[in-house]
Amino acid sequence: MSDERGAWTVFGERTVYDNRWVRVGLADVEAPNGERWDYHVVHLARIAIALIVNERDEALMLWRYRFPTDQWGYELLGGLVDEGEDAAAAAAREAAEESGWRPVGEPEHLVTFEPLPGQVTAPVDVYLWREAERLGDPTDTEEVGRVEWVPLDRVNELMQRQELLGSGTLVSLLYYLNSRRQD
């Protein structure tokens, strides 16, 4: 049951910028206090993430550079879900393209979340595989990095050093580790 006290009223939204990856809208909203104004909303494409954990309790990750935050760090594999594409299939495709490893077997859906719901829509779907097969070198030349099997017992250390990049990586790993404790 949801309590709708505090819900905002949206009277409409117009697009001020749009491309394949991002759309910026200006929404006509009214806050619960009765104030009404134009509110910027950023809409990002759906992302699918592959969390591949092997029998040695290691996750397949990519060590890479992200220029917007000027950071090097580890990321899980994943990317945009193409129009009409199944999110789990997108996660598997992205994993193979970025790492040269293809997930094997049926994925387990772990979680779907919105990382910045105050001003951004950015749905992220996370899928777990427990096996992968080596295909060869990565084929995605844009997502260049070092492919590594990273021990999961290093997650807290890597977080402290700010070497786990992005909410997709953080939420996925923390959710997975927490769910193992509850089993």
Side-chain angles (χ1 to χ4, degrees):
M1 183 171 113
S2 72
D3 179 359
E4 295 187 13
R5 288 176 294 151
W8 290 32
T9 302
V10 179
F11 297 99
E13 182 177 328
R14 68 180 173 84
T15 298
V16 294
Y17 178 80
D18 192 11
N19 72 22
R20 177 179 176 216
W21 299 278
V22 62
R23 180 172 58 87
V24 178
L26 200 55
D28 178 7
V29 299
E30 182 177 277
N33 66 3
E35 289 187 45
R36 186 170 172 175
W37 71 93
D38 288 334
Y39 192 87
H40 284 88
V41 180
V42 177
H43 302 279
L44 301 178
R46 180 171 290 278
I47 298 293
I49 293 177
L51 172 55
I52 304 169
V53 178
N54 66 18
E55 69 282 350
R56 293 180 306 280
D57 212 26
E58 299 167 323
L60 188 62
M61 292 196 228
L62 189 63
W63 174 264
R64 62 166 311 172
Y65 178 73
R66 287 294 188 183
F67 80 89
T69 56
D70 190 26
Q71 278 182 287
W72 283 93
Y74 289 103
E75 286 185 350
L76 292 175
L77 308 163
L80 293 177
V81 178
D82 291 335
E83 185 76 29
E85 185 178 29
D86 174 76
R93 173 183 53 74
E94 289 284 343
E97 290 172 0
E98 293 177 359
S99 72
W101 289 82
R102 185 183 71 192
V104 173
E106 286 299 310
E108 175 186 341
H109 177 256
L110 287 186
V111 65
T112 296
F113 66 96
E114 289 277 355
L116 298 165
Q119 263 186 316
V120 179
T121 64
V124 179
D125 300 303
V126 183
Y127 296 90
L128 171 68
W129 283 270
R130 298 190 184 277
E131 188 178 341
E133 66 179 345
R134 181 84 169 114
L135 301 174
D137 291 333
T139 59
D140 187 338
T141 57
E142 180 184 317
E143 302 286 338
V144 176
R146 184 176 70 234
V147 178
E148 288 185 41
W149 287 97
V150 178
L152 290 173
D153 63 6
R154 293 190 58 210
V155 166
N156 286 341
E157 165 209 342
L158 294 171
M159 284 179 60
Q160 286 293 317
R161 292 182 6 204
Q162 297 182 340
E163 291 182 358
L164 293 177
L165 302 182
S167 61
T169 297
L170 292 168
V171 169
S172 302
L173 291 171
L174 295 175
Y175 183 90
Y176 175 73
L177 292 171
N178 187 57
S179 68
R180 291 192 327 181
R181 280 194 213 119
Q182 297 174 3
D183 292 340

Short mmCIF file of all heavy atoms in Angstrom, two decimals, residues 33-98:
data_model
loop_
_atom_site.label_atom_id
_atom_site.label_comp_id
_atom_site.label_asym_id
_atom_site.label_seq_id
_atom_site.Cartn_x
_atom_site.Cartn_y
_atom_site.Cartn_z
N ASN A 33 3.43 21.49 -1.42
CA ASN A 33 3.14 22.75 -0.73
C ASN A 33 2.34 23.73 -1.59
O ASN A 33 2.07 24.85 -1.19
CB ASN A 33 4.43 23.41 -0.23
CG ASN A 33 5.33 23.85 -1.37
OD1 ASN A 33 5.00 23.72 -2.55
ND2 ASN A 33 6.50 24.36 -1.02
N GLY A 34 2.00 23.31 -2.84
CA GLY A 34 1.20 24.15 -3.73
C GLY A 34 2.00 25.01 -4.69
O GLY A 34 1.44 25.63 -5.58
N GLU A 35 3.34 25.05 -4.53
CA GLU A 35 4.16 25.83 -5.45
C GLU A 35 4.25 25.11 -6.79
O GLU A 35 4.39 23.89 -6.85
CB GLU A 35 5.57 26.04 -4.88
CG GLU A 35 5.60 26.98 -3.70
CD GLU A 35 7.02 27.29 -3.27
OE1 GLU A 35 7.87 27.56 -4.15
OE2 GLU A 35 7.27 27.24 -2.05
N ARG A 36 4.22 25.88 -7.86
CA ARG A 36 4.25 25.32 -9.22
C ARG A 36 5.39 25.98 -9.99
O ARG A 36 5.56 27.21 -9.92
CB ARG A 36 2.92 25.56 -9.91
CG ARG A 36 2.80 24.89 -11.26
CD ARG A 36 1.38 24.96 -11.76
NE ARG A 36 1.29 24.50 -13.13
CZ ARG A 36 0.15 24.37 -13.78
NH1 ARG A 36 -1.00 24.68 -13.21
NH2 ARG A 36 0.15 23.94 -15.03
N TRP A 37 6.18 25.17 -10.72
CA TRP A 37 7.29 25.70 -11.51
C TRP A 37 7.73 24.66 -12.55
O TRP A 37 7.25 23.54 -12.56
CB TRP A 37 8.45 26.13 -10.63
CG TRP A 37 9.23 25.02 -9.97
CD1 TRP A 37 10.35 24.42 -10.43
CD2 TRP A 37 8.94 24.38 -8.73
NE1 TRP A 37 10.77 23.43 -9.56
CE2 TRP A 37 9.92 23.40 -8.51
CE3 TRP A 37 7.93 24.51 -7.78
CZ2 TRP A 37 9.92 22.57 -7.39
CZ3 TRP A 37 7.94 23.70 -6.66
CH2 TRP A 37 8.93 22.75 -6.48
N ASP A 38 8.67 25.08 -13.41
CA ASP A 38 9.27 24.18 -14.39
C ASP A 38 10.46 23.48 -13.75
O ASP A 38 11.31 24.12 -13.13
CB ASP A 38 9.74 24.95 -15.64
CG ASP A 38 8.58 25.43 -16.49
OD1 ASP A 38 7.51 24.80 -16.42
OD2 ASP A 38 8.75 26.41 -17.21
N TYR A 39 10.52 22.17 -13.90
CA TYR A 39 11.52 21.33 -13.23
C TYR A 39 12.26 20.52 -14.29
O TYR A 39 11.63 19.82 -15.08
CB TYR A 39 10.79 20.40 -12.27
CG TYR A 39 11.64 19.65 -11.28
CD1 TYR A 39 11.97 20.21 -10.07
CD2 TYR A 39 12.08 18.36 -11.56
CE1 TYR A 39 12.72 19.52 -9.13
CE2 TYR A 39 12.84 17.66 -10.64
CZ TYR A 39 13.15 18.24 -9.42
OH TYR A 39 13.89 17.55 -8.51
N HIS A 40 13.59 20.62 -14.32
CA HIS A 40 14.37 19.86 -15.29
C HIS A 40 14.42 18.39 -14.89
O HIS A 40 14.68 18.07 -13.73
CB HIS A 40 15.80 20.40 -15.38
CG HIS A 40 15.90 21.66 -16.15
ND1 HIS A 40 15.76 22.90 -15.57
CD2 HIS A 40 16.11 21.88 -17.46
CE1 HIS A 40 15.87 23.84 -16.49
NE2 HIS A 40 16.09 23.26 -17.65
N VAL A 41 14.19 17.53 -15.87
CA VAL A 41 14.29 16.08 -15.66
C VAL A 41 15.17 15.51 -16.77
O VAL A 41 14.97 15.81 -17.95
CB VAL A 41 12.90 15.40 -15.68
CG1 VAL A 41 13.04 13.90 -15.45
CG2 VAL A 41 11.97 16.02 -14.65
N VAL A 42 16.14 14.70 -16.38
CA VAL A 42 17.02 14.04 -17.33
C VAL A 42 16.58 12.58 -17.44
O VAL A 42 16.46 11.88 -16.43
CB VAL A 42 18.50 14.11 -16.87
CG1 VAL A 42 19.40 13.36 -17.84
CG2 VAL A 42 18.93 15.56 -16.72
N HIS A 43 16.31 12.13 -18.66
CA HIS A 43 15.88 10.75 -18.91
C HIS A 43 17.01 10.02 -19.63
O HIS A 43 17.39 10.40 -20.74
CB HIS A 43 14.63 10.72 -19.79
CG HIS A 43 13.47 11.47 -19.21
ND1 HIS A 43 12.65 10.94 -18.25
CD2 HIS A 43 13.01 12.73 -19.45
CE1 HIS A 43 11.72 11.82 -17.93
NE2 HIS A 43 11.92 12.92 -18.65
N LEU A 44 17.58 9.03 -18.98
CA LEU A 44 18.64 8.21 -19.58
C LEU A 44 18.06 6.90 -20.06
O LEU A 44 17.05 6.42 -19.53
CB LEU A 44 19.76 7.96 -18.57
CG LEU A 44 20.44 9.21 -17.99
CD1 LEU A 44 21.50 8.81 -16.97
CD2 LEU A 44 21.04 10.06 -19.09
N ALA A 45 18.71 6.30 -21.02
CA ALA A 45 18.26 5.01 -21.56
C ALA A 45 18.42 3.92 -20.51
O ALA A 45 19.25 4.01 -19.60
CB ALA A 45 19.08 4.67 -22.81
N ARG A 46 17.62 2.86 -20.63
CA ARG A 46 17.70 1.69 -19.74
C ARG A 46 19.07 1.05 -19.89
O ARG A 46 19.59 0.91 -20.99
CB ARG A 46 16.61 0.69 -20.08
CG ARG A 46 16.63 -0.57 -19.20
CD ARG A 46 15.40 -1.44 -19.41
NE ARG A 46 14.20 -0.82 -18.88
CZ ARG A 46 13.82 -0.85 -17.60
NH1 ARG A 46 14.56 -1.48 -16.72
NH2 ARG A 46 12.72 -0.26 -17.21
N ILE A 47 19.64 0.65 -18.75
CA ILE A 47 20.94 -0.01 -18.70
C ILE A 47 20.75 -1.42 -18.14
O ILE A 47 19.95 -1.62 -17.22
CB ILE A 47 21.92 0.77 -17.79
CG1 ILE A 47 22.18 2.17 -18.32
CG2 ILE A 47 23.22 0.01 -17.56
CD1 ILE A 47 22.94 2.22 -19.62
N ALA A 48 21.48 -2.36 -18.68
CA ALA A 48 21.49 -3.73 -18.16
C ALA A 48 22.91 -4.09 -17.75
O ALA A 48 23.86 -3.81 -18.49
CB ALA A 48 20.98 -4.71 -19.20
N ILE A 49 23.06 -4.68 -16.58
CA ILE A 49 24.36 -5.02 -16.02
C ILE A 49 24.46 -6.52 -15.82
O ILE A 49 23.51 -7.15 -15.33
CB ILE A 49 24.60 -4.28 -14.69
CG1 ILE A 49 24.72 -2.78 -14.97
CG2 ILE A 49 25.83 -4.81 -13.97
CD1 ILE A 49 24.88 -1.94 -13.75
N ALA A 50 25.63 -7.08 -16.17
CA ALA A 50 25.92 -8.49 -15.96
C ALA A 50 26.87 -8.63 -14.79
O ALA A 50 28.00 -8.13 -14.82
CB ALA A 50 26.55 -9.10 -17.22
N LEU A 51 26.40 -9.30 -13.75
CA LEU A 51 27.27 -9.67 -12.63
C LEU A 51 27.58 -11.15 -12.84
O LEU A 51 26.70 -12.00 -12.71
CB LEU A 51 26.58 -9.45 -11.29
CG LEU A 51 27.30 -9.96 -10.05
CD1 LEU A 51 28.71 -9.41 -9.93
CD2 LEU A 51 26.49 -9.66 -8.80
N ILE A 52 28.82 -11.43 -13.21
CA ILE A 52 29.25 -12.81 -13.45
C ILE A 52 30.19 -13.19 -12.32
O ILE A 52 31.24 -12.57 -12.15
CB ILE A 52 29.95 -12.94 -14.82
CG1 ILE A 52 29.03 -12.43 -15.94
CG2 ILE A 52 30.38 -14.39 -15.06
CD1 ILE A 52 29.72 -12.28 -17.28
N VAL A 53 29.79 -14.18 -11.55
CA VAL A 53 30.57 -14.64 -10.39
C VAL A 53 31.00 -16.07 -10.66
O VAL A 53 30.17 -16.94 -10.95
CB VAL A 53 29.74 -14.55 -9.09
CG1 VAL A 53 30.55 -15.07 -7.91
CG2 VAL A 53 29.28 -13.12 -8.84
N ASN A 54 32.31 -16.32 -10.55
CA ASN A 54 32.82 -17.68 -10.82
C ASN A 54 32.89 -18.51 -9.54
O ASN A 54 32.55 -18.03 -8.44
CB ASN A 54 34.18 -17.62 -11.54
CG ASN A 54 35.29 -17.04 -10.70
OD1 ASN A 54 35.21 -16.96 -9.47
ND2 ASN A 54 36.36 -16.62 -11.36
N GLU A 55 33.34 -19.75 -9.67
CA GLU A 55 33.41 -20.69 -8.54
C GLU A 55 34.45 -20.26 -7.50
O GLU A 55 34.42 -20.74 -6.37
CB GLU A 55 33.69 -22.11 -9.03
CG GLU A 55 35.07 -22.35 -9.61
CD GLU A 55 35.29 -21.83 -11.04
OE1 GLU A 55 34.30 -21.43 -11.70
OE2 GLU A 55 36.46 -21.83 -11.49
N ARG A 56 35.35 -19.36 -7.84
CA ARG A 56 36.36 -18.86 -6.89
C ARG A 56 35.88 -17.60 -6.15
O ARG A 56 36.65 -16.94 -5.47
CB ARG A 56 37.68 -18.59 -7.62
CG ARG A 56 38.36 -19.86 -8.14
CD ARG A 56 39.68 -19.57 -8.85
NE ARG A 56 39.59 -18.59 -9.93
CZ ARG A 56 39.16 -18.83 -11.17
NH1 ARG A 56 38.77 -20.04 -11.50
NH2 ARG A 56 39.13 -17.87 -12.06
N ASP A 57 34.60 -17.28 -6.31
CA ASP A 57 33.99 -16.11 -5.67
C ASP A 57 34.64 -14.82 -6.17
O ASP A 57 34.95 -13.91 -5.38
CB ASP A 57 34.08 -16.22 -4.14
CG ASP A 57 32.89 -15.55 -3.46
OD1 ASP A 57 31.82 -15.46 -4.08
OD2 ASP A 57 33.05 -15.10 -2.31
N GLU A 58 34.81 -14.74 -7.48
CA GLU A 58 35.34 -13.55 -8.13
C GLU A 58 34.30 -13.04 -9.13
O GLU A 58 33.57 -13.82 -9.73
CB GLU A 58 36.62 -13.89 -8.90
CG GLU A 58 37.74 -14.43 -8.05
CD GLU A 58 38.85 -15.05 -8.87
OE1 GLU A 58 38.57 -15.69 -9.91
OE2 GLU A 58 40.02 -14.90 -8.45
N ALA A 59 34.25 -11.72 -9.28
CA ALA A 59 33.35 -11.09 -10.25
C ALA A 59 34.17 -10.59 -11.44
O ALA A 59 35.25 -10.03 -11.27
CB ALA A 59 32.61 -9.93 -9.61
N LEU A 60 33.64 -10.79 -12.63
CA LEU A 60 34.29 -10.31 -13.84
C LEU A 60 34.03 -8.81 -13.98
O LEU A 60 32.88 -8.37 -13.98
CB LEU A 60 33.74 -11.06 -15.06
CG LEU A 60 34.44 -10.79 -16.38
CD1 LEU A 60 35.91 -11.23 -16.32
CD2 LEU A 60 33.72 -11.50 -17.52
N MET A 61 35.14 -8.05 -14.03
CA MET A 61 35.02 -6.58 -14.11
C MET A 61 36.02 -6.01 -15.11
O MET A 61 36.94 -6.69 -15.53
CB MET A 61 35.28 -5.96 -12.73
CG MET A 61 34.21 -6.26 -11.72
SD MET A 61 34.33 -5.14 -10.32
CE MET A 61 34.23 -6.31 -8.99
N LEU A 62 35.78 -4.78 -15.43
CA LEU A 62 36.63 -4.03 -16.34
C LEU A 62 37.26 -2.87 -15.57
O LEU A 62 36.56 -2.07 -14.96
CB LEU A 62 35.77 -3.50 -17.50
CG LEU A 62 36.45 -2.87 -18.69
CD1 LEU A 62 37.33 -3.88 -19.41
CD2 LEU A 62 35.39 -2.33 -19.66
N TRP A 63 38.60 -2.82 -15.56
CA TRP A 63 39.33 -1.67 -14.99
C TRP A 63 39.45 -0.65 -16.10
O TRP A 63 40.00 -0.93 -17.16
CB TRP A 63 40.71 -2.11 -14.50
CG TRP A 63 41.57 -0.98 -14.04
CD1 TRP A 63 42.51 -0.31 -14.78
CD2 TRP A 63 41.57 -0.36 -12.75
NE1 TRP A 63 43.09 0.67 -14.02
CE2 TRP A 63 42.53 0.67 -12.76
CE3 TRP A 63 40.85 -0.58 -11.58
CZ2 TRP A 63 42.80 1.47 -11.66
CZ3 TRP A 63 41.11 0.23 -10.48
CH2 TRP A 63 42.07 1.23 -10.53
N ARG A 64 38.91 0.56 -15.89
CA ARG A 64 38.87 1.53 -16.97
C ARG A 64 38.87 2.95 -16.45
O ARG A 64 38.73 3.18 -15.26
CB ARG A 64 37.66 1.29 -17.83
CG ARG A 64 36.36 1.45 -17.05
CD ARG A 64 35.16 1.55 -17.90
NE ARG A 64 35.39 2.52 -18.94
CZ ARG A 64 34.56 2.72 -19.94
NH1 ARG A 64 33.47 2.04 -20.04
NH2 ARG A 64 34.82 3.62 -20.86
N TYR A 65 38.98 3.88 -17.37
CA TYR A 65 38.98 5.31 -17.06
C TYR A 65 37.64 5.91 -17.45
O TYR A 65 37.09 5.61 -18.51
CB TYR A 65 40.10 6.00 -17.85
CG TYR A 65 40.15 7.49 -17.63
CD1 TYR A 65 40.62 8.02 -16.43
CD2 TYR A 65 39.73 8.36 -18.62
CE1 TYR A 65 40.67 9.40 -16.23
CE2 TYR A 65 39.78 9.73 -18.44
CZ TYR A 65 40.24 10.24 -17.23
OH TYR A 65 40.29 11.60 -17.03
N ARG A 66 37.10 6.78 -16.59
CA ARG A 66 35.89 7.55 -16.88
C ARG A 66 36.22 9.03 -16.84
O ARG A 66 36.54 9.57 -15.79
CB ARG A 66 34.78 7.22 -15.88
CG ARG A 66 34.16 5.86 -16.04
CD ARG A 66 33.41 5.78 -17.34
NE ARG A 66 32.64 4.55 -17.44
CZ ARG A 66 31.94 4.21 -18.50
NH1 ARG A 66 31.91 5.02 -19.55
NH2 ARG A 66 31.29 3.08 -18.53
N PHE A 67 36.19 9.67 -18.01
CA PHE A 67 36.61 11.07 -18.09
C PHE A 67 35.68 12.05 -17.38
O PHE A 67 36.17 13.05 -16.85
CB PHE A 67 36.86 11.49 -19.55
CG PHE A 67 35.63 11.83 -20.32
CD1 PHE A 67 35.12 13.12 -20.31
CD2 PHE A 67 34.96 10.85 -21.04
CE1 PHE A 67 33.97 13.42 -21.01
CE2 PHE A 67 33.82 11.15 -21.75
CZ PHE A 67 33.32 12.44 -21.73
N PRO A 68 34.34 11.85 -17.33
CA PRO A 68 33.53 12.88 -16.65
C PRO A 68 33.91 13.08 -15.18
O PRO A 68 33.84 14.20 -14.68
CB PRO A 68 32.10 12.35 -16.77
CG PRO A 68 32.13 11.52 -18.02
CD PRO A 68 33.48 10.85 -17.98
N THR A 69 34.34 12.01 -14.51
CA THR A 69 34.74 12.12 -13.10
C THR A 69 36.26 12.03 -12.93
O THR A 69 36.75 12.06 -11.80
CB THR A 69 34.08 11.02 -12.26
OG1 THR A 69 34.40 9.74 -12.82
CG2 THR A 69 32.57 11.21 -12.21
N ASP A 70 36.99 11.89 -14.04
CA ASP A 70 38.45 11.78 -14.03
C ASP A 70 38.90 10.69 -13.04
O ASP A 70 39.71 10.92 -12.16
CB ASP A 70 39.09 13.13 -13.67
CG ASP A 70 40.61 13.12 -13.89
OD1 ASP A 70 41.10 12.34 -14.71
OD2 ASP A 70 41.30 13.91 -13.20
N GLN A 71 38.32 9.48 -13.23
CA GLN A 71 38.60 8.36 -12.32
C GLN A 71 38.96 7.10 -13.09
O GLN A 71 38.39 6.80 -14.13
CB GLN A 71 37.34 8.01 -11.52
CG GLN A 71 37.07 8.82 -10.32
CD GLN A 71 35.82 8.29 -9.64
OE1 GLN A 71 34.72 8.49 -10.12
NE2 GLN A 71 36.01 7.63 -8.51
N TRP A 72 39.88 6.34 -12.48
CA TRP A 72 40.16 4.97 -12.88
C TRP A 72 39.47 4.08 -11.86
O TRP A 72 39.45 4.39 -10.66
CB TRP A 72 41.65 4.69 -12.85
CG TRP A 72 42.39 5.25 -14.02
CD1 TRP A 72 43.01 6.46 -14.09
CD2 TRP A 72 42.58 4.63 -15.29
NE1 TRP A 72 43.58 6.63 -15.32
CE2 TRP A 72 43.34 5.52 -16.08
CE3 TRP A 72 42.19 3.41 -15.83
CZ2 TRP A 72 43.71 5.23 -17.38
CZ3 TRP A 72 42.57 3.12 -17.13
CH2 TRP A 72 43.31 4.02 -17.90
N GLY A 73 38.94 2.95 -12.30
CA GLY A 73 38.34 2.03 -11.35
C GLY A 73 37.71 0.84 -12.04
O GLY A 73 37.75 0.69 -13.27
N TYR A 74 37.13 -0.02 -11.22
CA TYR A 74 36.46 -1.23 -11.71
C TYR A 74 34.99 -0.97 -11.94
O TYR A 74 34.34 -0.27 -11.16
CB TYR A 74 36.58 -2.36 -10.67
CG TYR A 74 37.95 -2.93 -10.54
CD1 TYR A 74 38.75 -2.58 -9.46
CD2 TYR A 74 38.45 -3.82 -11.47
CE1 TYR A 74 40.03 -3.11 -9.32
CE2 TYR A 74 39.72 -4.36 -11.34
CZ TYR A 74 40.50 -4.00 -10.26
OH TYR A 74 41.76 -4.52 -10.12
N GLU A 75 34.49 -1.55 -13.03
CA GLU A 75 33.05 -1.53 -13.32
C GLU A 75 32.62 -2.93 -13.69
O GLU A 75 33.38 -3.69 -14.31
CB GLU A 75 32.74 -0.62 -14.51
CG GLU A 75 32.83 0.84 -14.24
CD GLU A 75 32.39 1.67 -15.43
OE1 GLU A 75 32.18 1.12 -16.53
OE2 GLU A 75 32.26 2.89 -15.26
N LEU A 76 31.38 -3.24 -13.36
CA LEU A 76 30.78 -4.45 -13.91
C LEU A 76 30.48 -4.20 -15.38
O LEU A 76 30.48 -3.06 -15.84
CB LEU A 76 29.50 -4.80 -13.15
CG LEU A 76 29.72 -5.25 -11.71
CD1 LEU A 76 28.38 -5.45 -11.01
CD2 LEU A 76 30.55 -6.52 -11.64
N LEU A 77 30.23 -5.25 -16.10
CA LEU A 77 29.98 -5.16 -17.53
C LEU A 77 28.51 -4.84 -17.78
O LEU A 77 27.64 -5.33 -17.08
CB LEU A 77 30.37 -6.49 -18.19
CG LEU A 77 31.79 -6.94 -17.81
CD1 LEU A 77 31.97 -8.40 -18.13
CD2 LEU A 77 32.82 -6.08 -18.49
N GLY A 78 28.25 -4.04 -18.79
CA GLY A 78 26.87 -3.71 -19.11
C GLY A 78 26.79 -2.52 -20.02
O GLY A 78 27.79 -1.93 -20.41
N GLY A 79 25.56 -2.16 -20.35
CA GLY A 79 25.36 -1.02 -21.23
C GLY A 79 23.91 -0.84 -21.61
O GLY A 79 23.01 -1.41 -20.98
N LEU A 80 23.70 -0.05 -22.65
CA LEU A 80 22.36 0.30 -23.10
C LEU A 80 21.58 -0.91 -23.59
O LEU A 80 22.11 -1.78 -24.28
CB LEU A 80 22.44 1.29 -24.27
CG LEU A 80 22.97 2.67 -23.99
CD1 LEU A 80 23.05 3.45 -25.30
CD2 LEU A 80 22.11 3.39 -22.98
N VAL A 81 20.30 -0.91 -23.25
CA VAL A 81 19.37 -1.90 -23.79
C VAL A 81 18.82 -1.31 -25.08
O VAL A 81 18.23 -0.23 -25.07
CB VAL A 81 18.23 -2.20 -22.79
CG1 VAL A 81 17.24 -3.18 -23.39
CG2 VAL A 81 18.79 -2.71 -21.47
N ASP A 82 19.06 -1.99 -26.19
CA ASP A 82 18.58 -1.49 -27.48
C ASP A 82 17.05 -1.59 -27.56
O ASP A 82 16.42 -2.41 -26.88
CB ASP A 82 19.20 -2.31 -28.63
CG ASP A 82 20.69 -2.06 -28.79
OD1 ASP A 82 21.16 -0.97 -28.38
OD2 ASP A 82 21.39 -2.96 -29.29
N GLU A 83 16.47 -0.75 -28.40
CA GLU A 83 15.02 -0.74 -28.61
C GLU A 83 14.53 -2.15 -28.91
O GLU A 83 15.04 -2.81 -29.82
CB GLU A 83 14.68 0.20 -29.77
CG GLU A 83 13.21 0.38 -30.01
CD GLU A 83 12.56 1.30 -28.99
OE1 GLU A 83 13.24 2.19 -28.47
OE2 GLU A 83 11.37 1.10 -28.73
N GLY A 84 13.55 -2.63 -28.15
CA GLY A 84 12.97 -3.96 -28.36
C GLY A 84 13.79 -5.12 -27.82
O GLY A 84 13.38 -6.27 -27.92
N GLU A 85 14.96 -4.84 -27.26
CA GLU A 85 15.85 -5.88 -26.75
C GLU A 85 15.48 -6.25 -25.32
O GLU A 85 15.14 -5.39 -24.51
CB GLU A 85 17.30 -5.40 -26.81
CG GLU A 85 18.33 -6.44 -26.43
CD GLU A 85 19.76 -5.92 -26.55
OE1 GLU A 85 19.97 -4.69 -26.39
OE2 GLU A 85 20.65 -6.74 -26.79
N ASP A 86 15.56 -7.52 -25.00
CA ASP A 86 15.39 -8.00 -23.64
C ASP A 86 16.58 -7.55 -22.81
O ASP A 86 17.73 -7.63 -23.26
CB ASP A 86 15.29 -9.54 -23.68
CG ASP A 86 15.25 -10.13 -22.29
OD1 ASP A 86 14.20 -10.05 -21.64
OD2 ASP A 86 16.29 -10.67 -21.86
N ALA A 87 16.33 -7.08 -21.58
CA ALA A 87 17.41 -6.53 -20.74
C ALA A 87 18.46 -7.59 -20.41
O ALA A 87 19.66 -7.30 -20.41
CB ALA A 87 16.83 -5.92 -19.47
N ALA A 88 18.05 -8.82 -20.12
CA ALA A 88 19.02 -9.88 -19.81
C ALA A 88 19.89 -10.18 -21.04
O ALA A 88 21.11 -10.38 -20.91
CB ALA A 88 18.32 -11.15 -19.33
N ALA A 89 19.28 -10.18 -22.21
CA ALA A 89 20.05 -10.41 -23.44
C ALA A 89 21.03 -9.26 -23.67
O ALA A 89 22.16 -9.49 -24.11
CB ALA A 89 19.11 -10.55 -24.64
N ALA A 90 20.61 -8.04 -23.35
CA ALA A 90 21.51 -6.89 -23.49
C ALA A 90 22.70 -7.01 -22.54
O ALA A 90 23.84 -6.74 -22.92
CB ALA A 90 20.76 -5.59 -23.22
N ALA A 91 22.45 -7.43 -21.29
CA ALA A 91 23.53 -7.59 -20.32
C ALA A 91 24.53 -8.64 -20.82
O ALA A 91 25.75 -8.42 -20.75
CB ALA A 91 22.98 -7.99 -18.96
N ALA A 92 24.03 -9.75 -21.33
CA ALA A 92 24.91 -10.81 -21.84
C ALA A 92 25.70 -10.32 -23.06
O ALA A 92 26.91 -10.58 -23.17
CB ALA A 92 24.09 -12.05 -22.20
N ARG A 93 25.04 -9.61 -23.96
CA ARG A 93 25.70 -9.08 -25.17
C ARG A 93 26.80 -8.11 -24.78
O ARG A 93 27.93 -8.19 -25.27
CB ARG A 93 24.67 -8.40 -26.07
CG ARG A 93 25.27 -7.67 -27.27
CD ARG A 93 24.22 -6.94 -28.10
NE ARG A 93 23.36 -6.04 -27.36
CZ ARG A 93 23.71 -4.84 -26.88
NH1 ARG A 93 24.95 -4.39 -27.06
NH2 ARG A 93 22.84 -4.08 -26.24
N GLU A 94 26.48 -7.17 -23.89
CA GLU A 94 27.47 -6.18 -23.46
C GLU A 94 28.65 -6.84 -22.76
O GLU A 94 29.80 -6.44 -22.97
CB GLU A 94 26.81 -5.15 -22.53
CG GLU A 94 25.86 -4.21 -23.24
CD GLU A 94 26.57 -3.13 -24.04
OE1 GLU A 94 27.77 -2.89 -23.82
OE2 GLU A 94 25.91 -2.50 -24.88
N ALA A 95 28.39 -7.85 -21.94
CA ALA A 95 29.48 -8.56 -21.25
C ALA A 95 30.43 -9.17 -22.27
O ALA A 95 31.66 -9.04 -22.15
CB ALA A 95 28.92 -9.63 -20.32
N ALA A 96 29.89 -9.82 -23.27
CA ALA A 96 30.73 -10.46 -24.29
C ALA A 96 31.51 -9.42 -25.09
O ALA A 96 32.71 -9.58 -25.33
CB ALA A 96 29.87 -11.32 -25.22
N GLU A 97 30.85 -8.33 -25.48
CA GLU A 97 31.52 -7.29 -26.27
C GLU A 97 32.64 -6.61 -25.48
O GLU A 97 33.71 -6.34 -26.01
CB GLU A 97 30.51 -6.22 -26.71
CG GLU A 97 29.52 -6.69 -27.74
CD GLU A 97 28.42 -5.68 -28.02
OE1 GLU A 97 28.42 -4.58 -27.40
OE2 GLU A 97 27.56 -5.98 -28.86
N GLU A 98 32.38 -6.31 -24.20
CA GLU A 98 33.33 -5.54 -23.40
C GLU A 98 34.47 -6.38 -22.82
O GLU A 98 35.53 -5.85 -22.53
CB GLU A 98 32.60 -4.86 -22.24
CG GLU A 98 31.65 -3.77 -22.69
CD GLU A 98 30.88 -3.15 -21.54
OE1 GLU A 98 31.06 -3.56 -20.37
OE2 GLU A 98 30.08 -2.24 -21.83
#
